[in-house]
Amino acid sequence: MTGIGSVSSVQPGDVDAEVSQRALRRIKDYLAKHPVEPEMIEVMVEHGEPSLVLPRPVVTLFAQILAQLAEGRGVSVIPSQAEVTTQQAADLLGVSRPYVVGLLEDGVIPHRKVGRHRRILLTDLLEYKRTDDEQRRKAADELGDLGQELGI
């Protein structure tokens, strides 16, 4: 039996996109026919095995994963309370590791130290990214407006 780790990934091409698309359609059809109930969904399994009973939010998440796989994209599932290293944070933000360290030292992104190493909650990092992206869009819109005012 394969163990379940804290981070699981499926690379593009690991799963047939057509199979994912068919499974996604069946799940979406079921969820559309039963928009609220049941809270627990029974999934029939082949080969005489007992059925699986899954919480509705898990089935919805599974449908989102299948949608990405059907588009030929890879998917990673990471626990909400996962922590990342400064290098992983830099990779996610598309910046250098020293830049991330500066953000941490300036208190822009919360973190904790494990020995000499810094750890960042993924939720905190994603919140910073969302806020930063929003500020960048706002600045770009303001520059566009200014350019139009100046006739550029």
Side-chain angles (χ1 to χ4, degrees):
M1 176 179 222
T2 304
I4 298 175
S6 61
V7 177
S8 300
S9 295
V10 178
Q11 300 303 315
D14 284 355
V15 176
D16 185 315
E18 287 184 35
V19 172
S20 297
Q21 185 63 43
R22 282 195 305 272
L24 174 62
R25 260 194 313 273
R26 292 195 60 198
I27 291 172
K28 286 173 88 175
D29 288 348
Y30 178 86
L31 293 174
K33 288 178 187 173
H34 306 89
V36 180
E37 296 293 329
E39 192 57 34
M40 300 299 279
I41 298 172
E42 185 175 2
V43 179
M44 303 305 285
V45 182
E46 295 179 353
H47 307 297
E49 293 287 325
S51 62
L52 299 172
V53 179
L54 302 173
R56 185 179 192 87
V58 170
V59 174
T60 302
L61 177 62
F62 187 57
Q64 292 169 347
I65 291 168
L66 284 170
Q68 295 301 311
L69 295 172
E71 293 291 324
R73 297 186 189 107
V75 176
S76 294
V77 177
I78 303 172
S80 298
Q81 294 302 310
E83 291 182 315
V84 295
T85 65
T86 53
Q87 186 59 59
Q88 291 168 325
D91 292 344
L92 192 139
L93 296 176
V95 299
S96 69
R97 192 190 67 76
Y99 181 78
V100 170
V101 170
L103 292 173
L104 300 179
E105 290 176 353
D106 291 344
V108 176
I109 302 173
H111 70 287
R112 70 182 185 103
K113 282 190 117 178
V114 179
R116 293 180 19 221
H117 304 283
R118 295 170 184 88
R119 296 291 180 261
I120 307 156
L121 278 176
L122 181 61
T123 52
D124 290 337
L125 183 65
L126 294 176
E127 177 61 23
Y128 166 79
K129 183 174 178 4
R130 186 193 61 75
T131 302
D132 187 58
D133 288 346
E134 192 175 283
Q135 290 172 345
R136 288 174 191 270
R137 274 192 299 277
K138 184 178 176 184
D141 290 345
E142 289 172 1
L143 280 174
D145 292 345
L146 183 59
Q148 283 189 350
E149 286 176 22
L150 296 174
I152 298 176

